[in-house]
């Protein structure tokens, strides 16, 4: 049986403004921010505001809002980093590779011939993440 949603998870704390994040986009139903341990330059996460552990317990309405934001932010990320392509993925439960138990979708700009970095590797420099977030926000504003 799947565990219950824990409102003390780190993304719930980001949503409540209890801990900081390099935010790039927000609307009534979703939030997007930079991943602090990026698997590559421009690694961005999209989460619903409604509590859900993962894909299986989210409402269809929340998933639809997440999908729309993923597309919007993915376009901006691709532009901001002049990427050749994008990898978009989402993990469910520890067996599926999930480490933070609030539904999130990963968006990673990809470059021809460059391998994907390690999942939850090193912490990125805060100033670099702030710069990357500003680049994505600028691409969103321009789009
Ligand atoms: P997952 O394995 O899909 O649950 O991945 C969780 C992701 O959240 C990882 O890529 C982490 O680097 C990222 N992460 C963990 N804590 C934070 C945080 N405070 N702010 C932004 N990203 C985070």
């Amino acid at each position: 049986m799947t565990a219950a949603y824990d409102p003390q998870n780190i993304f719930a704390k980001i949503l409540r403004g209890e801990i900081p994040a390099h935010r790039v986009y927000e609307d009534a139903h979703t939030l997007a921010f930079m991943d602090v341990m990026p698997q590559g330059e421009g690694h961005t996460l999209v989460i619903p505001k409604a509590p859900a552990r993962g894909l299986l317990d989210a409402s269809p309405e929340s998933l639809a809002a997440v999908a729309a934001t993923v597309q919007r932010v993915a376009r901006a990320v691709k532009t901001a980093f002049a990427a050749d392509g994008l990898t978009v993925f989402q993990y469910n439960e520890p067996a599926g590779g999930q480490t933070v138990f609030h539904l999130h979708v990963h968006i990673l700009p990809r470059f021809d011939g460059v391998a994907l970095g390690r999942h939850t590797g090193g912490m990125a420099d805060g100033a670099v993440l702030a710069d990357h977030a500003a680049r994505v926000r600028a691409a969103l504003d321009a789009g």
Side-chain angles (χ1 to χ4, degrees), residues 10-11 14 19 33-37 43 45 91 97-100 104 106 119-120:
I10 199 131
F11 293 169
I14 287 173
I19 63 163
F33 52 92
M34 305 313 292
D35 193 300
V36 286
M37 290 174 272
H43 187 167
L45 302 172
Y91 294 148
Q98 188 176 13
T99 60
V100 176
H104 53 281
H106 297 257
H119 185 53
T120 60

Side-chain angles (χ1 to χ4, degrees), residues 47-138:
I47 67 173
K49 290 188 172 177
R53 266 178 82 85
L55 181 73
L56 302 185
D57 61 329
S59 71
E61 294 76 17
S62 188
L63 288 176
V66 167
T69 297
V70 167
Q71 186 189 49
R72 182 189 288 246
V73 173
R75 284 177 173 153
V77 165
K78 188 168 184 291
T79 300
F81 295 93
D84 300 311
L86 293 164
T87 296
V88 175
F89 60 95
Q90 188 270 324
Y91 294 148
N92 295 277
E93 300 304 322
Q98 188 176 13
T99 60
V100 176
F101 300 98
H102 180 109
L103 171 65
H104 53 281
V105 177
H106 297 257
I107 299 171
L108 267 148
R110 300 299 302 277
F111 303 89
D112 292 333
V114 180
L116 198 61
R118 200 160 61 83
H119 185 53
T120 60
M123 286 278 281
D125 181 78
V128 171
L129 288 180
D131 173 63
H132 288 176
R135 282 161 66 173
V136 178
R137 286 196 301 269

